[in-house]
Amino acid sequence: MVDIFKISLGGGFDDNNKKYIDTLMKLDNSKTIMLEMRGNDVRIKNVLDVTLKEKQEIEIEFSEYAQENNQRIFVDATFVGELEKGQIIQFEQSGVQIKVKSTKEDIAVTEVISGGTIMQHDKVIFPDYVSPIPFFTERDKKDILWGLAYGIHVVAAGQVKTKNDLFELKEFMASQNADKIKIFAKIENEESIANFDEILEVADGIILVKEKHNPKNLDENAIIASCKEKGKPIVMTFGGGFKKDGAKATIDEKDIQNYTNKSIDCYMLNTFLKEEDTINLITELSNMLEKHELEINKEPKEPFYKENDNFLVRDYIIYNAYRTTNEIEVKAIVSFTENGYTSARLSTLSPEVPVIAFTKVDETYRYINMLRGV
């Protein structure tokens, strides 16, 4: 039931990640392996769960290495001691929130606002704080080299802020003879939303992070519409956090029904759940998609090209292939593609028939594996 597997290196790269890739390729080498860059991503370094109660006071400290400690929170953020009083700190998977009371050197003394259990490798978020960590770090370069050596197919660039971030990443990929690998940009902060149009022009696809800490000015409908207009695939992520009652968050069927009508290409489950929970979640999602795909809005799409504005014969042919499927009883559209553009463009038009794509390029094959209806 799964087409893409994401390898996240939030906890560093180790033999387990290599084993995951090797096992997946042995079981079914048609699957796509996505590597998620860490960038200025901050993670918990505690290897033990830390349980906190509301109004409890606890110190949070910078540490580059794993810590067997559950009496203090350790994170790989060098700027902890520079946080201002009142700064909120959120823990993505656990839903815990704390607030800074004071700082000293590499330590911040905090008070718990919303309690819970902080899990190993949990992502740490500092709302409205401008991180001094650059987008593309030496750690990211090592991660990508590791991924290329072990067979990743697509890169997910987290914490993107401008198109220059993506240019820097693509330049590095080209230097490693990996310029055919597609780059998906994650939209998850204020800067990426403000600069979305320019990011979309450079990225090969977009990952929209649906989390409870999403920026207030995030307009999901506008982002999805822009992706479809430009012929770029869009991935919707669902976090594995917790609801207000403490239960583990699952997929909301109303969301699935809504996104299905907007022709989202992929659904990605970001979870730290147990194996059996994950399988149940994937099964649940698969069943909901099967149900709602049959109810999708079938309104014909308007032409996406203008004959007086950078008119391309290629785009004319693509659109009319789609239009023909609405007028004549055909069973499928067959396309041959070098870089995936034709397949991606056809996919965004949401034809009622399957798109069967052929390519000689492995990186393109892994990319079109992520396109809806292809």
Side-chain angles (χ1 to χ4, degrees):
M1 291 181 286
V2 176
D3 304 291
I4 306 105
F5 291 87
K6 185 185 72 174
I7 301 293
S8 179
L9 298 180
F13 47 77
D14 54 32
D15 289 340
N16 283 332
N17 289 315
K18 181 182 182 302
K19 288 176 184 176
Y20 295 148
I21 295 176
D22 289 344
T23 302
L24 286 167
M25 290 298 98
K26 287 176 182 177
L27 290 172
D28 185 351
N29 65 5
S30 71
K31 304 302 183 185
T32 295
I33 306 294
M34 173 183 282
L35 177 70
E36 182 176 29
M37 285 172 49
R38 289 184 278 180
N40 58 12
D41 190 27
V42 176
R43 298 278 174 167
I44 290 293
K45 302 305 290 185
N46 301 67
V47 296
L48 302 176
D49 290 348
V50 180
T51 301
L52 302 175
K53 295 181 179 180
E54 190 174 338
K55 295 186 178 180
Q56 176 183 343
E57 190 173 283
I58 189 167
E59 292 184 343
I60 181 169
E61 181 178 351
F62 163 68
S63 177
E64 188 177 354
Y65 307 102
Q67 301 284 343
E68 292 188 10
N69 188 313
N70 62 359
Q71 301 303 309
R72 178 179 289 184
I73 302 171
F74 293 91
V75 297
D76 56 354
T78 57
F79 52 82
V80 167
E82 301 171 8
L83 296 174
E84 294 185 359
K85 181 179 178 180
Q87 172 68 50
I88 300 297
I89 303 173
Q90 299 175 347
F91 300 89
E92 182 179 68
Q93 295 290 329
S94 62
V96 171
Q97 282 191 339
I98 60 178
K99 181 170 65 174
V100 175
K101 294 179 66 179
S102 62
T103 58
K104 53 181 179 180
E105 297 181 350
D106 287 338
I107 297 175
V109 179
T110 70
E111 180 181 348
V112 179
I113 300 173
S114 177
T117 299
I118 302 174
M119 297 174 287
Q120 185 180 1
H121 300 318
D122 203 346
K123 184 175 180 179
V124 189
I125 300 158
F126 303 84
D128 302 320
Y129 178 77
V130 180
S131 171
I133 304 174
F135 162 74
F136 195 41
T137 64
E138 290 299 317
R139 181 178 68 176
D140 285 317
K141 293 178 183 179
K142 292 178 181 178
D143 287 351
I144 288 176
L145 292 175
W146 175 91
L148 294 176
Y150 291 120
I152 58 104
H153 307 124
V154 178
V155 171
Q159 302 297 328
V160 174
K161 294 181 179 179
T162 70
K163 65 180 180 181
N164 292 330
D165 292 339
L166 295 178
F167 282 137
E168 184 181 5
L169 174 55
K170 289 197 169 190
E171 185 178 352
F172 178 78
M173 298 294 286
S175 72
Q176 303 302 317
N177 297 316
D179 52 309
K180 290 183 179 179
I181 287 182
K182 305 295 186 180
I183 308 295
F184 279 64
K186 292 182 74 176
I187 303 302
E188 54 185 332
N189 54 47
E190 299 285 352
E191 293 89 344
S192 63
I193 295 170
N195 300 314
F196 176 73
D197 289 341
E198 65 175 43
I199 289 172
L200 182 60
E201 290 292 337
V202 180
D204 298 300
I206 294 296
I207 300 176
L208 185 55
V209 180
K210 181 177 177 58
E211 298 285 3
K212 57 190 169 188
H213 61 262
N214 272 351
K216 294 179 181 179
N217 60 341
L218 174 66
D219 187 340
E220 286 186 356
N221 292 333
I223 288 177
I224 294 169
S226 294
C227 289
K228 296 302 171 182
E229 181 184 346
K230 297 294 183 181
K232 302 286 182 78
I234 181 164
V235 179
M236 182 65 67
T237 69
F238 288 87
F242 292 83
K243 299 179 180 178
K244 291 182 179 179
D245 60 4
K248 288 177 180 174
T250 56
I251 302 299
D252 189 327
E253 185 163 359
K254 289 183 179 179
D255 280 338
I256 295 300
Q257 186 174 15
N258 176 44
Y259 294 135
T260 299
N261 269 305
K262 294 173 183 174
S263 302
I264 294 294
D265 291 272
C266 297
Y267 295 87
M268 185 168 289
L269 304 178
N270 291 337
T271 72
F272 287 154
L273 302 178
K274 295 179 180 178
E275 182 179 353
E276 57 269 23
D277 293 333
T278 305
I279 291 172
N280 291 336
L281 203 57
I282 292 170
T283 304
E284 180 185 2
L285 175 57
S286 180
N287 291 338
M288 285 190 287
L289 287 173
E290 184 175 359
K291 172 185 175 182
H292 292 294
E293 279 287 337
L294 298 175
E295 303 170 353
I296 195 167
N297 189 343
K298 304 290 186 180
E299 292 183 9
K301 302 293 191 303
E302 294 296 320
F304 57 85
Y305 62 88
K306 297 178 182 178
E307 295 193 20
N308 59 349
D309 181 19
N310 299 322
F311 174 68
L312 295 175
V313 173
R314 172 187 63 183
D315 291 339
Y316 177 80
I317 294 173
I318 291 171
Y319 177 77
N320 280 281
Y322 157 76
R323 182 179 61 82
T324 301
T325 65
N326 294 327
E327 300 175 359
I328 301 175
E329 289 190 12
V330 296
K331 299 298 183 184
I333 303 173
V334 177
S335 71
F336 297 84
T337 183
E338 182 75 17
N339 61 12
Y341 177 86
T342 301
S343 302
R345 188 39 102 175
L346 280 168
S347 175
T348 60
L349 293 169
S350 303
E352 293 188 36
V353 299
V355 177
I356 302 172
F358 291 83
T359 184
K360 295 179 180 180
V361 182
D362 183 67
E363 292 87 351
T364 299
Y365 167 79
R366 307 296 177 171
Y367 169 67
I368 61 181
N369 194 31
M370 301 175 68
L371 301 175
R372 180 189 176 280
V374 179

